[in-house]
Amino acid sequence: MASEGNIAPAIGIDLGTTYSCVAVWQNNRVEIIPNDQGNRITPSCVAFTEDGRLLGDAAKNQIDMNPTNTVFAVKRLIGRRFSDSSVQNDVKYWPFKVVAGPSDRPRIVVNYRGVEKQFYAEEISSMVLVKMKEVAETYLATTVKNAIITVPAYFSDSQRQATKNAGVIAGLNVIRIMDEPTAAAIAYGFDKITVDANKKNVLVFYLGGGTFDVSLLSIGHGNFVVRATAGDTHLGGEDFDDRLIDHCVKEFKKKYKKDITQNAKSLRRLRTACERAKRILSSSSRATIEVDCLYDGIDFSTRISQARFEELNKDLFMRCTEQIEECLRGAQIDKTGVDVVVLVGGSTRIPNVQQLVQDFFEGKELFKGIHPDEAVACGAAIYAANLNGQREKDMQNLVLVDVTPLSLGIGIREGFEYMRMVVPKNTPIPTKKYILLVTDHDNQTSARFPIYEGESAETKYNNLLGEFEINGIDPAPKGAVKIDVWFDIDADGILSVSAQVKSTSIKNGIIIKQNGDLTAAEIQTMIEEASRYKAEDEKHKSKISLEDLADKLKSLALDPGRSKSDMKSMKAAAENAIAWLDRNPQADIDEINKRRGQLKTTFPILCEEN
Ligand code: AMP
């Protein structure tokens, strides 16, 4: 399968907390790309073993046996500090180890081929992206570089930049970082915009594995204009699983006086059982959480009702409706002005969540016509093709206007430090905003510019994005020196700030988190390491394939119709191949492939059987 004409393909990747999905526009329609297992979504999971690295389904399938070296949900770490309370909460229930790295950045600790290794969240995310890139390349039978990666609308500047870095480390050309609800809105509205002449106010309610977003868009005539967005980057299915786990941990303690939280394997197995029960509770009123030999040889089994599950998560579910209110306030629209409510994300399958949203909109029918797990990747792929210049019959020129999710400003010290807002939240992007500042004391020769995001007037409650200084200002009375400051936000929602002393050449600036917290050199090293891991994976695959071939030869040798001498030579060749692999652990992939080729040439029957 090839892509459109001579245009290099561009894919859309929904990089989810629990699952990822990749799609492409081709043959005049959007296609979800199945992975090597035939699955349309791939676990955002990476495992490290004695032999090598496993990605996606292969990683998830061995998670219960290798819990401390199987990493998942890194979207909850990306662009965050280790000391963030949300990170501290998450690591409590994760079987893999997370430690504080330089500048309080979380690092994931695993054992890879017998050696302890530490990775940043960007690196693990890049491995998931490598998998999605490979899935697309196999399907399209060509190299894929151009991609849109989606992020929660409520992701901060540093989370966006860190995600973009993950794409770069994976060898992708990230043509756009796109908001998940906006992508879902495109999936919803794309085939309707030509039919529906009138503009519609569409509210996208996105509740996934780890994040929650709500966006209000005005859709019509090919235009997708985001009017406001709200959400919580730490609310989703994983939290509902945590509540169930917590419930079971307490029950186990009460019944058996034992604390299972210290045992990574037990916790991991309990998580799997709780997630399964949660899904069952979306279609049944009761479910059983059952784990044989959970801890200290004790079998654990408990029944849970849908009502109890709802009670355990009541406050979390309520947070969703609060954010709908916040979004409508931001868009200055009343709930009756919403024409369509679109549900997206795996967790919108929970009946109580649907009920709460429907009640909020006073019984309005909710739109469930788009696939909750696939809509985001579909929308991203449609927009990727659009940016890529693919113009087919059904592909029209889409105009997309996104907004900035959080207010941005400068810290000004007047007793305490307050935030002088420069870009209010829900401002359409890209945008450039200007303010004029003056010196605040006599003979001031330098000025500091701390840049914050957040909604509080006091900067201590907001998030410091970065800071820079201007030096060499000529001494003058307070207020006499004027400084121009510009805030520039690009289409990915990434901010740069610059300042210049008026009528002079004295200036400075900062591209906030242009490299996230990573330096350009660190990113380069990670790119090189990523290709080394890939080469190791390939070598491992090739070794396994030689071993498989040798095993096959051995079993073919046992065929009673074969002559004794054939049997002997086949068996000897197979044993030789295995012995050679054992003797030459450092053999490179070409040597291994050469051995495979030799076996096949000597015993053509291997090719027939294959
Ligand atoms: P997403 O990020 O959109 O892929 O959503 C993944 C989340 O949806 C995970 O936390 C899943 O456990 C959750 N999920 C998937 N199916 C169901 C279901 N039937 N009921 C409840 N949660 C579900």
Side-chain angles (χ1 to χ4, degrees):
M1 258 166 287
S3 180
E4 309 298 322
N6 292 327
I7 301 179
I11 53 173
I13 303 177
D14 169 6
L15 179 62
T17 309
T18 41
Y19 289 94
S20 294
C21 184
V22 58
V24 68
W25 174 272
Q26 69 168 6
N27 305 325
N28 208 27
R29 65 192 167 98
V30 65
E31 293 177 15
I32 293 289
I33 306 182
N35 66 19
D36 46 341
Q37 305 295 306
N39 298 328
R40 292 159 73 87
I41 52 174
T42 300
S44 305
C45 204
V46 178
F48 300 87
T49 72
E50 280 293 316
D51 296 323
R53 188 179 63 160
L54 299 169
L55 306 174
D57 288 298
K60 188 160 188 203
N61 290 342
Q62 53 83 75
I63 197 164
D64 288 346
M65 274 120 57
N66 183 24
T68 49
N69 297 306
T70 306
V71 185
F72 57 90
V74 281
K75 192 169 172 179
R76 298 205 129 179
L77 293 180
I78 205 158
R80 290 186 191 270
R81 307 271 138 195
F82 180 74
S83 53
D84 279 3
S85 57
S86 75
V87 171
Q88 288 304 308
N89 261 334
D90 283 335
V91 299
K92 219 167 46 194
Y93 285 132
W94 285 346
F96 55 90
K97 193 164 146 193
V98 182
V99 296
S103 316
D104 197 27
R105 285 185 279 162
R107 299 196 89 185
I108 296 129
V109 186
V110 291
N111 192 300
Y112 177 49
R113 295 168 170 268
V115 179
E116 186 182 288
K117 291 237 16 141
Q118 295 196 357
F119 294 103
Y120 289 117
E122 288 92 324
E123 291 177 277
I124 301 288
S125 277
S126 82
M127 294 175 194
V128 177
L129 289 169
V130 161
K131 176 72 190 175
M132 302 319 283
K133 181 175 185 280
E134 281 172 7
V135 165
E137 287 178 337
T138 308
Y139 184 76
L140 296 168
T142 183
T143 311
V144 174
K145 295 281 279 176
N146 300 330
I148 286 184
I149 304 174
T150 60
V151 292
Y154 225 60
F155 248 20
S156 69
D157 192 64
S158 43
Q159 290 170 307
R160 283 165 194 273
Q161 187 59 64
T163 305
K164 197 169 180 181
N165 287 342
V168 173
I169 297 165
L172 290 167
N173 171 34
V174 183
I175 52 177
R176 185 63 55 89
I177 290 290
M178 188 178 187
D179 290 353
E180 285 159 6
T182 310
I186 291 183
Y188 160 77
F190 178 67
D191 56 351
K192 295 178 186 66
I193 47 183
T194 45
V195 189
D196 292 337
N198 294 332
K199 267 200 208 158
K200 273 189 173 169
N201 287 327
V202 177
L203 184 125
V204 179
F205 180 95
Y206 179 103
L207 188 60
T211 59
F212 169 58
D213 274 327
V214 46
S215 289
L216 194 281
L217 292 99
S218 227
I219 301 182
H221 313 296
N223 293 345
F224 291 76
V225 179
V226 182
R227 294 184 47 191
T229 189
D232 190 329
T233 52
H234 199 279
L235 179 61
E238 292 274 324
D239 298 288
F240 314 144
D241 299 344
D242 285 349
R243 290 285 168 94
L244 274 185
I245 295 170
D246 201 40
H247 169 77
C248 296
V249 166
K250 284 186 183 138
E251 193 166 308
F252 198 88
K253 210 177 218 165
K254 206 163 126 198
K255 251 190 192 160
Y256 305 106
K257 312 271 172 290
K258 288 180 196 286
D259 177 14
I260 69 160
T261 57
Q262 299 314 311
N263 187 308
K265 219 170 198 165
S266 306
L267 265 187
R268 180 58 242 179
R269 292 175 65 222
L270 185 59
R271 177 175 287 277
T272 306
C274 286
E275 205 251 353
R276 197 178 303 127
K278 176 187 73 175
R279 286 176 188 250
I280 292 170
L281 289 173
S282 290
S283 50
S284 312
S285 58
R286 293 196 150 265
T288 305
I289 301 169
E290 203 161 22
V291 189
D292 286 346
C293 265
L294 176 62
Y295 187 82
D296 255 4
I298 302 170
D299 296 339
F300 178 71
S301 174
T302 189
R303 295 260 286 163
I304 181 133
S305 67
Q306 204 178 66
R308 182 81 181 108
F309 173 71
E310 287 165 13
E311 200 183 299
L312 289 172
N313 287 291
K314 198 169 174 192
D315 57 318
L316 298 179
F317 294 165
M318 289 314 290
R319 263 161 61 191
C320 295
T321 46
E322 283 162 21
Q323 292 304 320
I324 300 179
E325 272 171 357
E326 172 69 25
C327 180
L328 294 179
R329 256 198 308 277
Q332 295 174 340
I333 189 174
D334 185 72
K335 61 171 103 169
T336 53
V338 174
D339 298 303
V340 188
V341 179
V342 179
L343 296 186
V344 209
S347 299
T348 58
R349 293 191 178 96
I350 298 172
N352 193 231
V353 169
Q354 294 184 7
Q355 193 58 54
L356 284 170
V357 179
Q358 192 163 36
D359 290 350
F360 181 89
F361 285 100
E362 289 155 12
K364 189 179 184 62
E365 210 42 57
L366 309 175
F367 184 84
K368 301 178 207 160
I370 54 174
H371 197 295
D373 303 328
E374 299 174 0
V376 171
C378 280
I382 293 168
Y383 197 53
N386 210 260
L387 290 181
N388 212 23
Q390 288 166 247
R391 295 276 178 272
E392 284 183 60
K393 189 163 65 61
D394 289 337
M395 172 58 76
Q396 48 206 308
N397 194 18
L398 301 180
V399 178
L400 194 71
V401 180
D402 250 312
V403 294
T404 171
L406 297 158
S407 301
L408 299 155
I410 299 183
I412 308 276
R413 191 159 280 285
E414 269 179 19
F416 69 93
E417 197 181 59
Y418 78 93
M419 181 162 112
R420 166 92 181 262
M421 186 171 339
V422 182
V423 186
K425 72 172 181 176
N426 293 323
T427 297
I429 55 167
T431 188
K432 192 163 181 161
K433 296 270 179 195
Y434 163 83
I435 57 161
L436 182 69
L437 295 178
V438 293
T439 44
D440 60 9
H441 56 271
D442 292 340
N443 301 323
Q444 187 175 335
T445 55
S446 70
R448 195 179 134 255
F449 298 86
I451 313 298
Y452 290 92
E453 67 182 358
E455 307 313 319
S456 172
E458 272 191 75
T459 57
K460 67 177 177 190
Y461 299 115
N462 292 337
N463 184 21
L464 177 68
L465 294 174
E467 58 185 319
F468 65 95
E469 264 187 26
I470 283 191
N471 295 304
I473 302 172
D474 283 338
K478 166 184 175 179
V481 179
K482 296 184 168 56
I483 303 171
D484 295 320
V485 183
W486 290 271
F487 275 53
D488 210 331
I489 307 178
D490 69 13
D492 293 334
I494 293 166
L495 168 71
S496 48
V497 183
S498 57
Q500 181 164 12
V501 179
K502 233 179 172 50
S503 332
T504 72
S505 59
I506 303 170
K507 60 180 174 188
N508 199 355
I510 180 171
I511 299 178
I512 299 282
K513 314 281 179 185
Q514 218 228 331
N515 298 314
D517 277 325
L518 301 174
T519 63
E522 277 177 312
I523 291 180
Q524 190 49 41
T525 310
M526 288 176 187
I527 291 174
E528 283 155 21
E529 278 184 2
S531 58
R532 220 187 51 237
Y533 290 127
K534 192 161 188 260
E536 280 172 10
D537 289 352
E538 270 159 19
K539 181 175 152 182
H540 182 59
K541 269 190 216 148
S542 160
K543 257 179 153 171
I544 300 267
S545 151
L546 178 54
E547 280 168 6
D548 286 351
L549 213 57
D551 284 346
K552 184 157 269 172
L553 193 58
K554 256 193 208 165
S555 66
L556 285 171
L558 298 176
D559 185 343
R562 230 171 274 293
S563 72
K564 269 217 165 103
S565 71
D566 275 358
M567 270 188 185
K568 206 170 149 194
S569 64
M570 286 165 90
K571 200 164 161 263
E575 279 166 1
N576 257 339
I578 301 288
W580 179 84
L581 272 177
D582 287 345
R583 273 198 320 275
N584 297 285
Q586 304 303 337
D588 67 27
I589 187 163
D590 291 339
E591 289 175 279
I592 302 171
N593 287 343
K594 200 168 135 199
R595 285 264 158 180
R596 275 176 52 215
Q598 281 168 352
L599 266 192
K600 284 185 175 172
T601 319
T602 320
F603 302 100
I605 192 167
L606 282 171
C607 303
E608 285 165 31
E609 292 291 324
N610 277 338

